[in-house]
Amino acid sequence: ARIAGNAQMDLGNFDRSRQAFDQALKIDRNNSQLWTDISRFRYANSDIGGAIGAVDLALRLNRDNRDALLVKAMLVRENEGLLPALGWYERVLKVKPDHVGALIEYAATLGDVGRYTDMLRVTRQILTLDKNNPRALLLQAILAARAEKYDLAQRILFKVGDRLEDLPAYLLVSA
């Protein structure tokens, strides 16, 4: 039922997704991963308070649920700010140091708060785990552009290719 809820959400069938998640709750109300998925569902439906409540419950059920920690970090970033979010990303990385998705978001947040040396260190770490990660390369290109090293930014963007060409940040740096 949980997997069906996620599949229906991915297809944009939110009523069916809600029904599947309700069914999953009847089976196991104490499943941390289910509450994490419900948090994502509520966020997708613009229910920010509900998303926060669901992810907080997921973390009460399993404080090391890395998916819940990552959702919490994203919600904190959007609702409380960049600096409070850094601690949540660090918690994810304590549980799973090689979680590329968390590393990407952590690096981006470090850059947004002006911690460029740390941002570069984390993007290099990502590239050791996934040598052609387009988001890590884009973050490095953004960093080069901020340092007014436009030739370097363009060379790095060349490595990204067209994999991220629809992202506003890519379009801005490529210009």
Side-chain angles (χ1 to χ4, degrees):
R2 182 178 71 79
I3 292 168
N6 282 317
Q8 292 299 326
M9 181 172 54
D10 290 345
L11 294 170
N13 299 326
F14 292 113
D15 287 335
R16 289 182 181 168
S17 181
R18 179 179 288 109
Q19 292 168 358
F21 285 135
D22 287 346
Q23 182 62 35
L25 284 172
K26 290 177 185 174
I27 297 167
D28 185 3
R29 294 192 70 78
N30 294 317
N31 184 309
S32 178
Q33 193 59 49
L34 172 59
W35 283 105
T36 303
D37 294 341
I38 290 170
S39 178
R40 287 188 190 112
F41 172 78
R42 290 176 178 175
Y43 180 77
N45 282 282
S46 300
D47 179 5
I48 304 304
I52 292 169
V55 79
D56 286 346
L57 180 53
L59 289 169
R60 277 195 300 277
L61 293 168
N62 178 1
R63 66 186 179 119
D64 291 330
N65 177 336
R66 68 177 182 239
D67 294 330
L69 288 166
L70 192 53
V71 170
K72 180 69 175 184
M74 183 263 311
L75 289 168
V76 167
R77 179 184 164 112
E78 289 190 15
N79 294 292
E80 298 175 33
L82 301 170
L83 290 174
L86 286 174
W88 285 99
Y89 289 119
E90 290 163 358
R91 282 186 62 188
V92 176
L93 295 169
K94 282 182 185 173
V95 174
K96 180 84 169 138
D98 60 349
H99 190 295
V100 172
L103 287 165
I104 290 286
E105 296 303 325
Y106 183 52
T109 305
L110 287 167
D112 288 343
V113 299
R115 291 177 50 188
Y116 301 125
T117 302
D118 292 331
M119 176 187 174
L120 181 59
R121 177 186 48 78
V122 174
T123 59
R124 287 177 175 161
Q125 180 182 353
I126 295 163
L127 293 171
T128 63
L129 298 168
D130 179 4
K131 73 176 187 168
N132 291 311
N133 186 290
R135 295 212 40 222
L137 291 168
L138 177 59
L139 289 172
Q140 287 187 348
I142 291 168
L143 188 56
R146 286 179 178 167
E148 298 182 7
K149 302 208 181 268
Y150 303 116
D151 290 341
L152 176 59
Q154 287 297 319
R155 285 195 308 274
I156 295 170
L157 278 185
F158 180 76
K159 294 179 185 179
V160 175
D162 62 358
R163 296 180 286 174
L164 300 176
E165 66 183 5
D166 293 336
L167 290 180
Y170 177 92
L171 296 171
L172 183 63
V173 174
S174 67

